[in-house]
Amino acid sequence: MGKITRSQGIWGIAAFASVAGTALSSHAEITDARITNDGVRKFDMTLDLANSPDNTVMINGRELIIRFSAPIGDFDINTMLGKFPEQVLTVQTSYNVLLIEMAFDGEFQVTQDKSGMVVHYAPAEKPATDAVNAAQDLQGNTGATPSADTIAETRRAIIEARARMELGQYGHAREILSHIILADPDSVEARNALAEVEYRSGNWREAARQYGRVIARNHDPAIVRARQDILKQNGSFMGGGVQYQNNGSSNTQIVGTLNGRAVLRDDLLLQADFENRHIDADPFLQSDGSTADFGGERQKLALKLDQEISARTILQYRAYATQKSPGAGVEWQRNVIPGIAAIALDYHQPYWDQTSAMVEYGTRDSLAVSYDVATVENWDIGFGTSLNRYGLDGNEDLARTVRLNGYVRDNFDIYNFPVFAGYRLDGEYPLAQEEKTAQGVTFRPLDVARREVHEFSIGHDIPLADYLTLSTGISYSYDRYGEQGFGFSGAFIGNLADEYETTLSFGHTANSSSSVGSSGSTFIGIAIKRYF
């Protein structure tokens, strides 16, 4: 075994020096932890390890931080806090990080090999120097060529900052990185780590700003995408697009959209969506019992205001408008780890799923409950249900339904070929529908189609260039009450400039909730967004 002293202070730099600071794909595991003591102020800890050959060790006074090369597994190392309270003051673990803080001043010596690690703690022989002070010492080197020791110490400090970030010590991590950046404003690695700290701690605006500073020095496509992902979720943008739809034999539509989002203040986010549809519909049964076709324009506007009530709770207020019918809604969102739970209530939301309802300015009232899980170990999961009431101008209670929806998607590799596969449920079941008789014909003024679509899909994201990705997939969907068959979808996603995103989408579905009678739909469209 080799020895690590305070003056060396770093192991396995190469494993953690990447821009993203990601761990290796193997699953590290602490299989056993043993502690023996020699007197009041001395102790030895032995960790038996599996699949963790390269570990970073950082020592700051009474603190020992070990960043393993992969997640540390399920071993409950926290039990040693109860065994030796007179020597161990604090134990923290998170993902691939272990922090131990001792109750007395002393000096660590750490030795390790592929299968284990031994930590020895004894009275100090020389004063300690923590990473913050080491980073402060770098300030005197501004403008000069850093020495090899300075570079190594900076790397060690950045790794420590990332470890403290994993432990939730965002303030301490920010302090370490800020001192490094003060000494070296062009440090790409430190700014990238600071951006991640800011994002993890909830300060997405500063995270985007720091990523922007990184991009100015190192135009890495991964950093560009990271910044865009933050802005997509939280930031301001302006965009527009157009899409052509052929919804089976029922109608064709050209849909133009304008949308945008603005940060009004730290806790208020406003989004606006405007849609214009040019419709060429085949003859259909109207609310008075007559049959007629339709060609013309229909517009709708939706405004959404997100108010951040707390770090975990958001209230969204919604307003809708068509030429004939205003509407409103509200949604409560709560971050319930690992996803977001929501309850939404909408009154007179424009209902344009059916051709007849669209032409006659249909509306929908609904009470919905949903839960969406962000990606957890490559899985995306969501489900929800709603009670709905549909109406037309002059009669607001023409149909009542219950709707079920859900999805699950997994990302995995097949012989090192990354793919995604998923399942989607889209079901709507009428509880009551009003019927009328006119001109000797019995009909439903607003006939909400019963559907239960089960869709299975598989696809792949293909990087064609640094700033161009093709996302494509095939699917099979089965509607118990309608059409079934194969479909496909694809999108060229281009980031030709840092703040712009262009998407060319195309596809076909065998059945769709946005077309008449759950029939098929073919589409092609383009959308452009600018984030700022």
Side-chain angles (χ1 to χ4, degrees), residues 215-330:
I215 292 168
R217 293 288 177 179
N218 180 11
H219 209 264
D220 188 323
I223 303 302
V224 173
R225 284 192 293 270
R227 180 174 180 270
Q228 286 184 332
D229 285 344
I230 292 174
L231 294 176
K232 282 180 187 179
Q233 295 177 26
N234 307 284
S236 301
F237 71 84
M238 294 181 62
V242 62
Q243 185 179 88
Y244 171 80
Q245 299 177 359
N246 186 338
N247 296 324
S249 63
S250 300
N251 65 76
T252 60
Q253 302 177 25
I254 299 175
V255 184
T257 57
L258 292 173
N259 47 62
R261 185 170 62 194
V263 179
L264 303 183
R265 65 186 196 200
D266 287 350
D267 61 340
L268 287 180
L269 196 67
L270 177 65
Q271 181 167 332
D273 297 280
F274 175 77
E275 177 184 295
N276 180 84
R277 289 185 182 240
H278 175 78
I279 308 163
D280 290 307
D282 289 344
F284 65 95
L285 194 64
Q286 300 191 89
S287 58
D288 62 359
S290 63
T291 300
D293 57 6
F294 175 83
E297 310 290 329
R298 286 292 180 262
Q299 298 85 30
K300 70 177 179 181
L301 174 69
L303 298 174
K304 300 177 182 179
L305 181 66
D306 287 354
Q307 181 181 11
E308 186 176 310
I309 305 300
S310 69
R312 299 177 61 186
T313 305
I314 290 176
L315 274 180
Q316 183 180 90
Y317 310 95
R318 302 193 276 240
Y320 308 105
T322 65
Q323 291 95 326
K324 279 192 171 185
S325 176
V330 63

Side-chain angles (χ1 to χ4, degrees), residues 6-208:
R6 191 191 314 275
S7 60
Q8 293 169 313
I10 185 166
W11 280 60
I13 285 290
F16 302 98
S18 66
V19 171
T22 54
L24 301 180
S25 58
S26 60
H27 294 287
E29 185 177 0
I30 299 175
T31 58
D32 194 14
R34 301 178 299 281
I35 295 179
T36 57
N37 63 321
D38 179 14
V40 178
R41 292 176 176 265
K42 295 182 181 180
F43 94 123
D44 291 284
M45 178 180 70
T46 302
L47 300 178
D48 293 337
L49 306 176
N51 301 322
S52 189
D54 297 304
N55 311 298
T56 304
V57 176
M58 290 157 284
I59 300 167
N60 290 309
R62 298 178 182 178
E63 287 185 334
L64 173 70
I65 300 176
I66 304 172
R67 187 174 181 184
F68 299 95
S69 59
I72 61 177
D74 298 326
F75 185 83
D76 186 11
I77 199 169
N78 294 279
T79 55
M80 68 182 180
L81 179 62
K83 292 181 179 178
F84 299 94
E86 70 279 11
Q87 293 166 323
V88 179
L89 182 64
T90 301
V91 177
Q92 285 184 261
T93 58
S94 175
Y95 188 60
N96 63 340
V97 177
L98 164 66
L99 177 142
I100 302 174
E101 183 179 359
M102 307 304 295
F104 308 103
D105 291 332
E107 187 175 79
F108 286 102
Q109 289 184 339
V110 183
T111 55
Q112 70 172 336
D113 59 19
K114 292 182 179 181
S115 61
M117 177 181 292
V118 176
V119 177
H120 176 71
Y121 192 69
E125 297 177 0
K126 55 185 177 179
T129 301
D130 64 18
V132 174
N133 293 331
Q136 289 174 327
D137 292 342
L138 298 176
Q139 297 180 35
N141 294 324
T142 303
T145 301
S147 66
D149 288 343
T150 300
I151 293 173
E153 190 62 36
T154 301
R155 280 285 184 83
R156 189 201 69 81
I158 292 173
I159 292 172
E160 180 187 350
R162 287 191 174 277
R164 293 191 180 278
M165 176 184 67
E166 293 290 348
L167 294 166
Q169 299 178 3
Y170 301 121
H172 199 157
R174 186 182 294 111
E175 183 181 5
I176 293 171
L177 295 169
S178 296
H179 282 299
I180 296 173
I181 292 172
L182 183 62
D184 182 9
D186 296 332
S187 174
V188 169
E189 191 173 3
R191 285 197 182 276
N192 183 68
L194 181 58
E196 189 171 347
V197 169
E198 297 293 357
Y199 183 74
R200 293 268 195 106
S201 63
N203 190 359
W204 63 265
R205 294 176 184 83
E206 182 61 21

Side-chain angles (χ1 to χ4, degrees), residues 396-506:
E396 299 176 0
D397 191 12
L398 289 172
R400 289 176 235 170
T401 71
V402 60
R403 184 171 183 179
L404 300 175
N405 55 80
Y407 65 90
V408 59
R409 170 172 156 156
D410 185 24
N411 300 277
F412 55 94
D413 290 346
I414 299 179
Y415 296 107
N416 296 322
F417 186 77
V419 299
F420 57 83
Y423 164 78
R424 179 180 67 91
L425 168 66
D426 177 16
E428 188 158 20
Y429 311 91
L431 303 175
Q433 296 205 62
E434 183 173 318
E435 293 185 347
K436 291 186 177 181
T437 300
Q439 301 179 10
V441 177
T442 300
F443 66 97
R444 292 170 176 160
L446 203 162
D447 189 9
V448 180
R450 179 185 298 269
R451 67 179 182 277
E452 186 181 301
V453 179
H454 301 268
E455 181 179 272
F456 302 88
S457 60
I458 188 168
H460 175 57
D461 292 339
I462 306 172
L464 301 178
D466 284 346
Y467 302 99
L468 182 63
T469 300
L470 172 61
S471 180
T472 183
I474 59 173
S475 62
Y476 180 82
S477 55
Y478 171 77
D479 187 349
R480 288 181 58 197
Y481 307 104
E483 301 292 330
Q484 51 269 336
F486 286 94
F488 66 91
S489 63
F492 288 97
I493 305 170
N495 305 113
L496 303 182
D498 295 345
E499 68 272 23
Y500 287 94
E501 179 180 85
T502 303
T503 303
L504 174 65
S505 57
F506 54 90

